[in-house]
Amino acid sequence: MIKLNNLTKTYIDSKISIKSTHFNKENSYLILGPSGSGKSTMLNLIGGLIKPTSGSIQLSLNNQTIDITNLKDKQLRKLRLDNIGYILQDFKLFDDFTVKDNIEILLNLSNKKISTQQLKEILKQVGLEHKINSKVKHLSGGEKQRVAIARVLANDYDILLCDEPTGSLNKSLANELIQLIIGVHKKAKNTLIVVSHDETMAKYFDEVVRFENLIEGSE
């Protein structure tokens, strides 16, 4: 479970205040809202990529509850590597590395190992088994997104956070990829949170939340 307790994040020219709320383990959530509304800020707070100005974030992991706002940077980095997966619109891949290398780099950072056969099976699930030794710079946008999904499959995270994961894809490919992400979530039995402005995704999720309803001051 993920619990947000009276979170605020203040910037030089803006402030976001998020109501106390929670996200249950094994559930999938779609957070809908327009671009620039603060959805990505909330996702980055949950993932420990940025720290709140006030409030706390509690994650239930391995039968214990951890307040990540109290962790030191080194502790937080380890928690992220071990427990939190990200699928972002800009992929965050190494273009001059192969598909295989891009997946293994993240595994090595968290001291995890998989066999070549296991890697091939993961790539088969996302339709990229024939691209295992291809450099990422030679892949299409949809194929790069599949590499990002394969990284998550390989790591089997407790929490999966997706920031506009299909924003740059056409409708057909977007639907195909969101179903892949849902499949990864169900296999891992993790907590999935996707932020998007795309209303058509709603049918795939356990719960759909309007971001405006999470902001302080809304009813």
Side-chain angles (χ1 to χ4, degrees):
M1 180 183 287
I2 301 167
K3 289 185 178 180
L4 310 183
N5 303 304
N6 300 313
L7 282 186
T8 66
K9 180 63 178 177
T10 302
Y11 297 99
I12 294 174
D13 57 354
S14 64
K15 176 182 178 181
I16 180 171
S17 299
I18 301 171
K19 292 178 179 178
S20 293
T21 189
H22 68 272
F23 302 95
N24 291 321
K25 183 175 172 58
E26 298 189 26
N27 276 22
S28 60
Y29 297 86
L30 176 64
I31 312 298
L32 285 173
S35 298
S37 59
K39 304 186 307 299
S40 295
T41 296
M42 184 186 74
L43 211 63
N44 290 337
L45 286 165
I46 293 172
L49 296 175
I50 58 176
K51 292 191 175 184
T53 304
S54 63
S56 65
I57 302 161
Q58 295 176 316
L59 307 182
S60 296
L61 300 168
N62 304 316
N63 298 316
Q64 62 178 322
T65 300
I66 303 168
D67 184 345
I68 67 171
T69 52
N70 289 333
L71 296 180
K72 296 180 180 178
D73 289 345
K74 186 176 180 180
Q75 293 173 312
L76 186 56
R77 180 175 180 272
K78 177 171 173 47
L79 181 140
R80 287 198 306 263
L81 285 171
D82 292 346
N83 300 284
I84 304 175
Y86 301 88
I87 299 176
L88 306 173
Q89 188 175 348
D90 62 356
F91 314 127
K92 298 296 183 185
L93 301 175
F94 297 95
D95 280 349
D96 286 318
F97 288 17
T98 66
V99 169
K100 179 176 183 287
D101 290 339
N102 267 275
I103 294 172
E104 289 183 339
I105 285 171
L106 204 55
L107 286 168
N108 290 338
L109 286 172
S110 52
N111 294 314
K112 297 176 183 177
K113 299 288 183 183
I114 60 172
S115 68
T116 299
Q117 184 57 40
Q118 287 174 311
L119 178 55
K120 287 180 178 178
E121 286 299 317
I122 288 167
L123 290 173
K124 186 176 181 180
Q125 291 180 57
V126 298
L128 286 179
E129 66 271 25
H130 60 297
K131 297 284 189 177
I132 186 169
N133 292 313
S134 297
K135 287 190 175 183
V136 164
K137 65 183 178 183
H138 299 310
L139 303 182
S140 67
E143 287 172 334
K144 289 178 180 179
Q145 192 64 294
R146 287 169 184 269
V147 176
I149 294 171
R151 284 190 308 193
V152 170
L153 271 170
N155 277 276
D156 195 26
Y157 294 109
D158 294 299
I159 297 169
L160 179 52
L161 307 175
C162 305
D163 191 357
E164 298 282 2
T166 61
S168 61
L169 306 176
N170 64 50
K171 186 175 180 180
S172 175
L173 190 53
N175 283 335
E176 186 178 337
L177 284 172
I178 204 65
Q179 289 179 70
L180 268 176
I181 291 171
I182 291 291
V184 171
H185 151 70
K186 288 182 176 179
K187 181 178 179 181
K189 296 182 179 180
N190 58 21
T191 305
L192 170 64
I193 304 175
V194 175
V195 301
S196 180
H197 63 274
D198 187 352
E199 303 267 351
T200 65
M201 290 187 190
K203 60 186 176 183
Y204 298 113
F205 292 81
D206 296 320
E207 294 189 38
V208 178
V209 181
R210 298 283 173 181
F211 186 68
E212 63 192 45
N213 293 332
L214 296 178
I215 301 300
E216 285 291 350
S218 62
E219 296 298 327

